[in-house]
Amino acid sequence: MRSETMLESFKISLIIGLLATVLALLVGVPASYALARYSVKGKNLIKSFFLSPTVIPGIVVGYTLFQFIVVALGLPVFQGLLIGHFLISLPYIIRVVGSSMDQLDYSIEEVAWTLGCTRFRAFMQIVLPNVSSGIFAAFMLAFVNSFNNVPVSMFLSGPGVTMLPTSLLSYMEYNYDPTVSAISVMLMLLTIGLMYLIEKTLGLASIA
């Protein structure tokens, strides 16, 4: 029974993490492009707003999302978790992809325009391939943050829908056996492996 509970929590964490990260990419990549490509009034303020969840303590973010998603909107647990993890994943997408966008020479995109390429096609075939390593690194970093997040998961979890970190903490309240240690080591190795891939694709210095 305990193994089944942990396995179900792992599946939920995996699904929520992947969906939230993909949604964050769909919103964050165009937003990063707009912020880097165009002179927008209040650009620094907009960037600060997008990055605020990484500065505000996690417990505050979790409680705020609980008040807004659960209390005010009354959304189901799964949808609430998805929205919450989307919001905490978005800043990592903006930060990492935005860094790659800032380093891109946009004259190659303008050349594509002069050769008859539409803006959308130029974005898909010129811009995205040149920042693909940043998108890949952003995806992994945001996914790791979502999968391992504790405060938001604790506030937004509910009956039958519990993330793995929350399940581990609840289990440790009454038990402590090799199961917790084994899962912790697996999560640590997963995180180390993903961070290694980030370092090889983009470099950790560029996201610091």
Side-chain angles (χ1 to χ4, degrees):
M1 180 64 69
R2 292 171 181 173
S3 299
E4 292 178 0
T5 301
M6 292 293 181
L7 184 59
E8 186 64 25
S9 297
F10 174 80
K11 290 179 180 178
I12 292 174
S13 293
L14 190 62
I15 293 171
I16 291 290
L18 288 174
L19 288 178
T21 305
V22 170
L23 289 175
L25 280 174
L26 293 176
V27 174
V29 172
S32 299
Y33 173 78
L35 290 173
R37 185 73 173 85
Y38 303 107
S39 297
V40 182
K41 187 176 181 180
K43 180 188 295 188
N44 292 332
L45 184 62
I46 296 174
K47 285 185 176 181
S48 298
F49 173 76
F50 275 124
L51 297 176
S52 58
T54 62
V55 179
I56 301 173
I59 194 73
V60 176
V61 175
Y63 179 74
T64 303
L65 290 175
F66 171 77
Q67 290 290 327
F68 177 72
I69 294 174
V70 178
V71 177
L73 298 180
L75 294 178
V77 177
F78 186 88
Q79 286 87 332
L81 277 170
L82 182 59
I83 293 174
H85 281 259
F86 160 75
L87 293 174
I88 63 173
S89 298
L90 186 60
Y92 293 92
I93 304 297
I94 297 288
R95 178 73 178 268
V96 180
V97 178
S99 177
S100 297
M101 291 287 187
D102 288 335
Q103 299 172 22
L104 180 65
D105 183 4
Y106 288 100
S107 61
I108 59 176
E109 183 187 23
E110 294 171 356
V111 170
W113 295 347
T114 60
L115 295 176
C117 193
T118 63
R119 288 180 177 269
F120 179 76
R121 186 177 178 185
F123 176 77
M124 298 297 294
Q125 297 185 354
I126 304 297
V127 176
L128 289 186
N130 279 279
V131 297
S132 58
S133 61
I135 294 175
F136 178 62
F139 177 86
M140 290 190 295
L141 190 64
F143 174 74
V144 169
N145 174 70
S146 173
F147 191 88
N148 294 330
N149 184 272
V150 175
V152 172
S153 299
M154 287 184 64
F155 276 103
L156 298 182
S157 292
V161 183
T162 306
M163 304 283 282
L164 183 58
T166 307
S167 293
L168 284 175
L169 289 175
S170 299
Y171 181 80
M172 288 177 62
E173 283 188 60
Y174 306 100
N175 307 277
Y176 189 81
D177 55 40
T179 302
V180 177
S181 300
I183 295 176
S184 299
V185 171
M186 290 175 60
L187 293 177
M188 182 180 66
L189 292 176
L190 175 64
T191 302
I192 292 174
L194 291 177
M195 294 306 293
Y196 175 78
L197 290 176
I198 293 173
E199 169 62 25
K200 288 299 181 181
T201 55
L202 187 62
L204 294 176
S206 62
I207 62 176

